[in-house]
Amino acid sequence: MNFISTLGAASALGLVGTLAAAETNSTLTNTQMTSATALIGLGAQDDASADSGMYLLLGVGANMAQDTDVDDVFVTGGSVTSTSISYNVGLDLNVGLGIPIMDQLSVEVMTGLAYNTIDTVSGNFDVLGITGSFTAADGELIQVPIMANLRYDFDLGDSMTLGLFGGAGVQYSDLNISSLTATTAFGSGTDDFGSGDDFNFRYQFGLNLAWDISNNSALGIYVRYSGTTGADFGDDFSTGGLGNGSIGASFSLEF
């Protein structure tokens, strides 16, 4: 009986030890699984925070301002007709922030600067019965837009993207016309034509073809057209809408 009792006690102790070891292993396994799940979750959060999809967009290029028709020129004792301003090719600078709203579709908020010098001012005038024409002028046109664009990107391959965009906003315009040369039958003279500034509604659309140079940056080429409503440059004169064609290089950085 002592042998049987001893054997039974040993068996019971062995069973208890086996159950305890199994419970310990189960606890360790659950702890390891919980730790692994937590690490995976943290890794996913890190990836999400490291790639928000927002991007900075920079551009520099050439701006071709379209000829501008001048209206309502104030001249004491006379009138000015058929007046038009042409511009030299100028500078186009722009910077924007892109915010994704769904796959391949984003909203861009942008501003910039377009600067063009005046090539010529042409027109005719009649002052106190003396007629003549404008033959030349100096001056500059400065345009500063604040725009909101809607942009859609098309994947053209592993490293190439075509973005189409269009938007609307407001533009500040400053036009200065100086050293205007007027010619009559009695000779010619030079005088300031006038200057002024105005805020106008602006619209634009264009495209940007880009190539990836790293996992979060790209270089590209952009083409854009923009136009405004008519501008009132104070008491001196007003103009029709200001139109621009721009082409240049772009750089984007995703963060």
Side-chain angles (χ1 to χ4, degrees), residues 61-69 84-92 114-120 140-143 171 173-175 202 224-228 241-247:
N63 186 68
M64 285 73 72
Q66 294 181 327
D67 291 355
T68 304
D69 293 329
S84 178
I85 307 171
S86 62
Y87 306 91
N88 298 306
V89 176
L91 177 66
D92 180 69
Y115 178 84
N116 294 86
T117 57
I118 292 176
D119 181 24
T120 60
E140 60 190 10
L141 172 63
I142 299 173
Q143 302 172 82
Q171 173 175 295
S173 307
D174 187 298
L175 180 58
R202 167 170 164 149
R224 182 182 68 247
Y225 178 81
S226 66
T228 73
L242 303 173
N244 302 273
S246 304
I247 184 171

Side-chain angles (χ1 to χ4, degrees), residues 44-215:
Q45 290 178 0
D46 289 342
D47 290 341
S49 61
D51 185 13
S52 66
M54 296 177 63
Y55 57 90
L56 177 68
L57 184 63
L58 304 174
V60 57
N63 186 68
M64 285 73 72
Q66 294 181 327
D67 291 355
T68 304
D69 293 329
V70 179
D71 305 316
D72 301 328
V73 181
F74 176 76
V75 178
T76 303
S79 62
V80 176
T81 59
S82 305
T83 305
S84 178
I85 307 171
S86 62
Y87 306 91
N88 298 306
V89 176
L91 177 66
D92 180 69
L93 300 172
N94 53 86
V95 58
L97 177 66
I99 304 171
I101 56 177
M102 60 184 301
D103 187 30
Q104 296 178 287
L105 185 66
S106 59
V107 172
E108 294 178 341
V109 180
M110 66 153 290
T111 186
L113 170 71
Y115 178 84
N116 294 86
T117 57
I118 292 176
D119 181 24
T120 60
V121 176
S122 61
N124 302 309
F125 63 88
D126 184 339
V127 179
L128 301 177
I130 300 175
T131 60
S133 62
F134 304 124
T135 57
D138 295 325
E140 60 190 10
L141 172 63
I142 299 173
Q143 302 172 82
V144 180
I146 301 176
M147 304 292 295
N149 294 326
L150 191 64
R151 171 171 170 159
Y152 189 86
D153 289 319
F154 296 90
D155 291 329
L156 302 183
D158 293 337
S159 60
M160 185 181 297
T161 302
L162 175 64
L164 301 181
F165 62 87
V170 65
Q171 173 175 295
Y172 170 77
S173 307
D174 187 298
L175 180 58
N176 175 41
I177 304 174
S178 60
S179 302
L180 180 70
T181 301
T183 303
T184 70
F186 304 100
S188 61
T190 301
D191 197 1
D192 289 344
F193 187 83
S195 63
D197 55 10
D198 195 14
F199 285 91
N200 313 99
F201 171 79
R202 167 170 164 149
Y203 62 90
Q204 65 181 25
F205 55 86
L207 59 86
N208 186 81
L209 183 63
W211 293 265
D212 294 339
I213 57 175
S214 72
N215 61 347

